[in-house]
């Protein structure tokens, strides 16, 4: 059986290390993008202020109450928990409504403030009584209010989330088909918050069987339910273990549901589904292969072409990049030069490179770097397109992170795919063209950077220039751009690989005695 994890490497561009970095970064992205995603777009945990049943009872001015005295708030919360305990113990007339009213009051306190009184609720003993309220056979209104309380407690700090562990089996059980949609969705929301806390919590949820019922919630065409389930699943499968992603893509009907939802007009829903595709394509070979064969690339390209929503464009673009980097047949078999989809891919990447959003530029450059690591035909496609002028401009004007991604594209354009170790074969026409348009100084800037990966990339390109420029122009060009000085900073560098690379280039092309007279 093939290994589910993505332990293969991308085809060799400039040197093997450059290609390996592409696949390695993709896996690292899957693990770390959570932080990046939530800081810029959505929190890994979400406080529920308006319920899944849209009852609208939480007033919109709730955040205006944050100035209320903390001691009063804590007293109200403790009182609400005690009232709930009393209501649960009560067996007389109107017992059900008494429980619902008590739950609603606690839920309001946990929903109306920027920093809800979670710690106070836990100290008062809220979790055991909330678990009691999740008992099977309870009315939907009670289940919904209890799950809502637990959702917001799970949105708290790690130790507060950990207090929910006794409630997980019932929350998972209420994801089943026998539960009403609002109850199931609220339970999914709570579980998504728990999964967002980290790998330890994801493993607990996975071991208790949370993945299959969450996956089944994505199958219908219920917008809100699908949106919440997709968000919870993206938290649940985001690694580093690839097995959950592989398990998810194998759920009957899940792949068809993903394709269907990606076509929908609801961009909020599509955004959450696209994040599921991000983690599937980043972590699992099986999922990547199935997604490519399903035709999802065309859907992603269409979304990139038609949407202006940054929240949607980021996961769609990253999914496209993961698929291009992850499946060795994608570039060769799907992105065929001259075919319509290939031209569309280039067009949407141009759109992203021209965007004012830094993250879109960086992601687009990463996608292009993997296309440029393909066949000579793909390199020629990029080199002859309007992308090239944009890349050269970005290399000289962009922030460092974008500049590094762009450098990978340009470097990959100058070498043809190779088998095994050894120096890659030059595409001299591309090298001369790029150097003639002034890209060498950008690569030398990378050599001067403190980033080891970027410095290595810069040195590799300088090696191409020194080896490949006709009439020994390489040495003059490197010297004119103060490239020798940039390399000499590695003379006693702690990184042995960079030290040997830089010293070797200076010795070979400028002589072992270069600079001694000075």
């Amino acid at each position: 059986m093939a290994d589910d994890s993505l332990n293969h490497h991308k085809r060799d561009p400039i040197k093997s290390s450059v290609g390996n970095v592409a696949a390695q970064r993709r896996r690292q992205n899957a693990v770390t993008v959570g932080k990046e995603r939530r800081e810029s777009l959505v929190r890994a945990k979400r406080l529920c202020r308006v319920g899944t049943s849209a009852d609208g009872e939480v007033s919109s001015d709730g955040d205006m109450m944050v100035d209320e005295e903390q001691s009063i708030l804590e007293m109200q919360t403790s009182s609400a928990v005690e009232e709930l305990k009393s209501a649960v113990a009560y067996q007389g007339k109107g017992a059900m409504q008494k429980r619902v009213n008590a739950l609603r009051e606690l839920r309001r306190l946990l929903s109306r403030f920027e920093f809800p009184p979670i710690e106070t609720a836990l100290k008062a003993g809220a979790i055991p009584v909330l678990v009691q309220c999740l008992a099977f056979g309870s009315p939907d209104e009670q289940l919904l209010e209890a799950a809502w309380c637990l959702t917001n407690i799970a949105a708290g700090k790690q130790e507060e989330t950990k207090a929910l562990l006794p409630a997980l089996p019932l929350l998972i059980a209420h994801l089943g088909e026998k539960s009403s949609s609002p109850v199931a969705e609220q339970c999914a929301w709570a579980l998504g918050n728990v999964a967002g806390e980290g790998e330890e919590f994801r493993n607990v949820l996975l071991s208790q069987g949370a993945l299959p019922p969450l996956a089944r919630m994505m199958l219908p065409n219920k917008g809100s339910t699908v949106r919440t389930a997709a968000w919870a699943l993206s938290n649940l499968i985001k690694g580093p273990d690839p097995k959950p992603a592989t398990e998810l893509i194998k759920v009957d009907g899940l792949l068809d549901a993903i394709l269907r939802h990606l076509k929908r007009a609801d961009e909020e829903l599509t955004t959450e589904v696209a994040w599921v595709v991000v983690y599937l394509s980043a972590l699992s070979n099986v999922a990547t292969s199935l997604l490519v064969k399903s035709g999802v690339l065309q859907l992603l390209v269409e979304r990139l072409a038609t949407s202006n929503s940054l929240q949607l464009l980021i996961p769609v673009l990253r999914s496209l990049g993961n698929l291009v980097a992850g499946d060795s047949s994608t570039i060769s078999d799907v992105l065929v030069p001259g075919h319509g989809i290939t031209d569309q891919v280039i067009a949407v990447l141009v759109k992203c490179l021209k965007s004012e959003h830094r993250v879109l530029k960086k992601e687009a450059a990463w996608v292009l770097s993997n296309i440029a690591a393909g066949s000579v035909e793909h390199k020629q496609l990029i080199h002859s397109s309007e992308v090239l002028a944009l890349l050269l401009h970005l290399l000289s004007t962009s922030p460092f992170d974008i500049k590094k991604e762009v450098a990978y594209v340009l470097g990959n354009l100058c070498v043809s795919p190779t088998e095994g170790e050894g120096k890659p074969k030059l595409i001299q026409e591309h090298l001369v063209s790029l150097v003639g348009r002034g890209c060498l100084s950008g690569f030398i800037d990378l050599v001067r950077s403190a980033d080891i990966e970027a410095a290595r990339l810069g040195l590799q390109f300088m090696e191409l220039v020194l080896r490949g420029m006709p009439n020994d122009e390489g040495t003059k060009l490197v010297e004119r751009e103060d490239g020798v000085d940039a390399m000499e900073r590695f003379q006693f560098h702690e990184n042995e690989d960079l030290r040997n690379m830089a010293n070797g280039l200076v010795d070979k092309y400028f002589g072992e005695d270069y600079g001694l007279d000075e």
Side-chain angles (χ1 to χ4, degrees), residues 332-447:
S332 302
D333 299 343
V334 180
L335 299 182
V336 180
H339 284 200
I341 186 172
T342 307
D343 294 337
Q344 292 169 16
V345 168
I346 297 298
V348 296
L349 293 175
V350 166
K351 170 187 172 180
C352 294
L353 288 176
K354 290 180 176 179
S355 167
E356 62 183 21
H357 298 294
R358 177 172 174 165
V359 66
L360 291 184
K361 292 179 182 179
K362 181 179 176 181
E363 293 285 343
W366 181 62
V367 178
L368 283 164
S369 73
N370 286 298
I371 297 176
S375 67
V376 173
E377 290 75 20
H378 287 100
K379 298 170 192 293
Q380 291 171 341
L381 173 71
I382 294 174
H383 186 267
S384 62
S385 73
E386 65 175 305
V387 167
L388 190 63
L390 289 170
L391 292 171
L392 289 167
H393 176 71
L394 290 171
L395 182 67
S396 61
T397 62
S398 293
F400 176 78
D401 56 341
I402 297 175
K403 182 179 294 190
K404 185 166 76 169
E405 295 296 341
V406 167
Y408 271 105
V409 188
L410 298 174
N412 287 346
L413 292 179
C414 296
V415 292
S416 56
T418 58
E419 296 293 335
E421 297 297 326
K423 293 180 180 178
K425 185 177 179 181
L426 278 163
I427 303 178
Q428 191 178 58
E429 177 189 355
H430 290 180
L431 178 67
V432 171
S433 168
L434 294 179
V435 173
R437 295 173 72 170
C439 78
L440 179 58
S441 61
F443 280 94
I444 291 177
D445 285 342
L446 294 181
V447 174

Side-chain angles (χ1 to χ4, degrees), residues 171-184:
L171 287 170
I172 294 170
H174 284 300
L175 298 175
E177 296 175 357
K178 293 182 179 179
S179 297
S180 68
S181 291
V183 170

Side-chain angles (χ1 to χ4, degrees), residues 189-230:
W189 193 333
L191 295 171
N193 277 344
V194 174
E197 187 55 61
E199 183 182 0
E200 175 189 351
F201 293 85
R202 291 195 287 275
N203 289 339
V204 171
L205 290 170
L206 290 165
S207 69
Q208 294 189 12
L211 190 146
L214 281 173
R216 286 191 290 270
M217 288 176 68
M218 282 190 62
L219 303 185
N221 287 322
K222 299 176 181 177
S224 177
T225 300
V226 172
R227 188 165 59 246
T228 301

Side-chain angles (χ1 to χ4, degrees), residues 65 136 198 250 345 374:
M65 297 180 64
F136 278 100
K250 290 181 177 179
V345 168

Side-chain angles (χ1 to χ4, degrees), residues 143-192:
L143 293 171
L144 182 62
E145 294 288 351
W148 191 340
C149 289
L150 290 166
T151 296
N152 288 352
I153 291 173
K157 301 172 185 176
Q158 184 179 45
E159 59 271 21
E160 294 166 347
T161 304
K162 196 167 186 177
L164 251 73
L165 292 180
L168 296 185
L170 280 172
L171 287 170
I172 294 170
H174 284 300
L175 298 175
E177 296 175 357
K178 293 182 179 179
S179 297
S180 68
S181 291
V183 170
E185 183 180 345
Q186 193 64 64
C187 290
W189 193 333
L191 295 171

Side-chain angles (χ1 to χ4, degrees), residues 6-10 16-32 282-283 322 325-326 366 370 408 453 456:
L6 290 163
N7 55 9
H8 62 282
H9 297 304
K10 197 80 178 75
S16 61
S17 59
V18 180
N20 294 351
V21 165
Q24 179 185 347
R25 283 184 299 158
R26 179 163 58 90
R27 294 191 295 273
Q28 290 173 341
N29 275 347
V31 178
T32 62
L283 291 165
N322 284 346
W366 181 62
N370 286 298
Y408 271 105
E453 180 187 333
R456 180 181 289 109

